[in-house]
Amino acid sequence: MSNTPAWVIARSQAIAELRGWSAYCGLQIEYSLAARSPDRELLPMARALGLTVTAWSPLARGLLAGKRPPSRLPVSRRQALDAVTEIAVETGLTPARVALAWVLRQGLLPVLGTRTLAQAHDTTFCTTAAPRSRHRNRSLGITTAEHRWRLWNAEFEQGVPRV
Protein backbone atom coordinates (compact mmCIF):
# COMPACT_ATOMS: atom_id res chain seq x y z
CA MET A 1 0.00 0.00 0.00
CA SER A 2 1.21 3.47 -0.76
CA ASN A 3 -0.23 6.78 0.46
CA THR A 4 -3.41 5.20 1.80
CA PRO A 5 -5.31 6.37 4.89
CA ALA A 6 -4.83 4.25 8.00
CA TRP A 7 -8.53 3.42 8.25
CA VAL A 8 -8.55 1.91 4.74
CA ILE A 9 -5.54 -0.28 5.49
CA ALA A 10 -6.90 -1.39 8.86
CA ARG A 11 -10.30 -2.22 7.31
CA SER A 12 -8.64 -4.16 4.49
CA GLN A 13 -6.50 -6.09 6.96
CA ALA A 14 -9.56 -6.98 9.06
CA ILE A 15 -11.53 -8.18 6.03
CA ALA A 16 -8.56 -10.24 4.81
CA GLU A 17 -8.16 -11.81 8.24
CA LEU A 18 -11.88 -12.65 8.54
CA ARG A 19 -12.02 -14.23 5.10
CA GLY A 20 -8.68 -16.00 5.23
CA TRP A 21 -7.18 -13.90 2.46
CA SER A 22 -3.59 -12.73 2.19
CA ALA A 23 -3.03 -9.57 4.17
CA TYR A 24 -0.76 -6.64 3.40
CA CYS A 25 2.83 -6.92 4.53
CA GLY A 26 4.12 -3.42 3.83
CA LEU A 27 3.31 0.25 3.65
CA GLN A 28 5.06 2.99 1.67
CA ILE A 29 4.70 6.56 2.94
CA GLU A 30 6.32 9.96 2.59
CA TYR A 31 8.39 10.35 5.73
CA SER A 32 11.33 12.50 6.78
CA LEU A 33 12.26 15.00 9.45
CA ALA A 34 10.35 17.53 7.34
CA ALA A 35 7.25 15.33 6.79
CA ARG A 36 6.17 13.75 10.06
CA SER A 37 2.39 13.50 9.68
CA PRO A 38 2.51 9.65 9.50
CA ASP A 39 3.46 9.73 13.20
CA ARG A 40 -0.18 10.44 14.00
CA GLU A 41 -1.94 7.37 12.61
CA LEU A 42 -0.02 5.46 9.95
CA LEU A 43 3.04 4.45 11.97
CA PRO A 44 1.13 3.33 15.09
CA MET A 45 -1.23 1.36 12.82
CA ALA A 46 1.69 -0.22 10.96
CA ARG A 47 3.31 -1.27 14.25
CA ALA A 48 0.03 -2.75 15.52
CA LEU A 49 -0.51 -4.72 12.29
CA GLY A 50 3.12 -5.78 11.90
CA LEU A 51 3.64 -3.98 8.58
CA THR A 52 7.07 -3.12 7.23
CA VAL A 53 7.24 0.59 6.39
CA THR A 54 9.31 2.15 3.63
CA ALA A 55 9.78 5.91 3.53
CA TRP A 56 9.81 7.67 0.19
CA SER A 57 11.39 11.11 -0.03
CA PRO A 58 13.43 10.67 3.17
CA LEU A 59 15.41 13.77 2.17
CA ALA A 60 12.28 15.88 1.57
CA ARG A 61 12.90 16.11 -2.18
CA GLY A 62 16.51 17.12 -1.60
CA LEU A 63 15.81 19.80 0.99
CA LEU A 64 17.50 17.86 3.81
CA ALA A 65 20.44 16.97 1.57
CA GLY A 66 21.45 20.58 1.27
CA LYS A 67 19.60 21.42 -1.94
CA ARG A 68 18.90 25.13 -2.08
CA PRO A 69 15.62 25.71 -0.26
CA PRO A 70 12.83 27.74 -1.81
CA SER A 71 12.64 31.34 -0.69
CA ARG A 72 9.37 30.73 1.15
CA LEU A 73 9.57 27.62 3.28
CA PRO A 74 7.00 26.58 5.90
CA VAL A 75 8.23 27.01 9.46
CA SER A 76 8.25 23.26 10.20
CA ARG A 77 10.39 22.52 7.15
CA ARG A 78 12.73 25.41 7.97
CA GLN A 79 13.14 24.03 11.51
CA ALA A 80 13.90 20.54 10.15
CA LEU A 81 16.45 21.94 7.71
CA ASP A 82 18.12 24.03 10.42
CA ALA A 83 18.29 21.05 12.81
CA VAL A 84 19.81 18.74 10.20
CA THR A 85 22.32 21.39 9.14
CA GLU A 86 23.38 22.12 12.73
CA ILE A 87 23.78 18.43 13.58
CA ALA A 88 25.74 17.85 10.37
CA VAL A 89 28.17 20.65 11.24
CA GLU A 90 28.58 19.39 14.83
CA THR A 91 29.15 15.76 13.81
CA GLY A 92 31.11 16.27 10.60
CA LEU A 93 28.53 14.29 8.61
CA THR A 94 26.71 15.47 5.51
CA PRO A 95 23.12 16.69 6.02
CA ALA A 96 21.91 13.77 3.88
CA ARG A 97 23.58 11.22 6.14
CA VAL A 98 22.09 12.83 9.23
CA ALA A 99 18.57 12.83 7.74
CA LEU A 100 18.81 9.27 6.40
CA ALA A 101 20.27 7.95 9.66
CA TRP A 102 17.33 9.53 11.50
CA VAL A 103 14.81 7.74 9.24
CA LEU A 104 16.61 4.43 9.79
CA ARG A 105 16.60 4.98 13.56
CA GLN A 106 12.81 5.35 13.41
CA GLY A 107 12.64 1.77 12.11
CA LEU A 108 11.72 2.67 8.54
CA LEU A 109 13.47 1.66 5.34
CA PRO A 110 14.26 4.71 3.19
CA VAL A 111 13.51 4.49 -0.52
CA LEU A 112 16.62 5.92 -2.10
CA GLY A 113 17.34 7.35 -5.50
CA THR A 114 20.84 8.46 -6.37
CA ARG A 115 22.31 10.17 -9.41
CA THR A 116 25.89 10.78 -8.34
CA LEU A 117 28.67 8.84 -6.63
CA ALA A 118 28.57 11.27 -3.67
CA GLN A 119 24.84 10.56 -3.20
CA ALA A 120 25.53 6.83 -3.36
CA HIS A 121 28.14 7.21 -0.60
CA ASP A 122 25.70 9.16 1.58
CA THR A 123 23.04 6.50 1.18
CA THR A 124 25.48 3.65 1.74
CA PHE A 125 27.21 5.09 4.78
CA CYS A 126 24.14 6.55 6.53
CA THR A 127 23.89 3.25 8.41
CA THR A 128 27.18 4.00 10.15
CA ALA A 129 26.13 7.52 11.12
CA ALA A 130 25.22 7.54 14.78
CA PRO A 131 24.28 11.02 15.96
CA ARG A 132 24.47 11.35 19.73
CA SER A 133 21.29 11.17 21.77
CA ARG A 134 21.25 14.94 22.25
CA HIS A 135 21.15 15.33 18.46
CA ARG A 136 18.35 12.77 18.10
CA ASN A 137 16.34 14.46 20.83
CA ARG A 138 16.83 17.89 19.27
CA SER A 139 15.70 16.73 15.83
CA LEU A 140 12.72 14.87 17.29
CA GLY A 141 11.59 17.80 19.43
CA ILE A 142 11.79 20.33 16.64
CA THR A 143 9.79 18.40 14.10
CA THR A 144 7.26 16.43 16.15
CA ALA A 145 3.86 16.08 14.52
CA GLU A 146 0.99 17.47 16.56
CA HIS A 147 -1.34 14.82 17.94
CA ARG A 148 -4.70 16.56 17.94
CA TRP A 149 -6.55 13.53 19.30
CA ARG A 150 -4.53 13.74 22.53
CA LEU A 151 -5.57 17.35 23.00
CA TRP A 152 -9.18 16.51 22.24
CA ASN A 153 -9.15 13.53 24.61
CA ALA A 154 -7.74 15.67 27.43
CA GLU A 155 -10.47 18.26 26.85
CA PHE A 156 -13.13 15.53 26.77
CA GLU A 157 -11.97 14.04 30.08
CA GLN A 158 -12.09 17.48 31.70
CA GLY A 159 -15.64 18.06 30.44
CA VAL A 160 -14.68 20.90 28.12
CA PRO A 161 -17.35 21.26 25.42
CA ARG A 162 -15.96 20.86 21.92
CA VAL A 163 -17.15 23.39 19.36
Side-chain angles (χ1 to χ4, degrees), residues 64 75 77-88 138 142:
L64 300 177
V75 173
R77 287 189 177 251
R78 172 62 63 193
Q79 290 173 335
L81 176 60
D82 292 345
V84 166
T85 304
E86 287 173 17
I87 294 169
R138 183 180 347 152
I142 287 173

Side-chain angles (χ1 to χ4, degrees), residues 11-35:
R11 182 173 187 260
S12 299
Q13 289 289 77
I15 291 170
E17 185 178 321
L18 288 171
R19 296 189 179 173
W21 297 344
S22 297
Y24 296 114
C25 60
L27 174 64
Q28 181 175 301
I29 56 173
E30 179 181 12
Y31 193 70
S32 70
L33 271 166

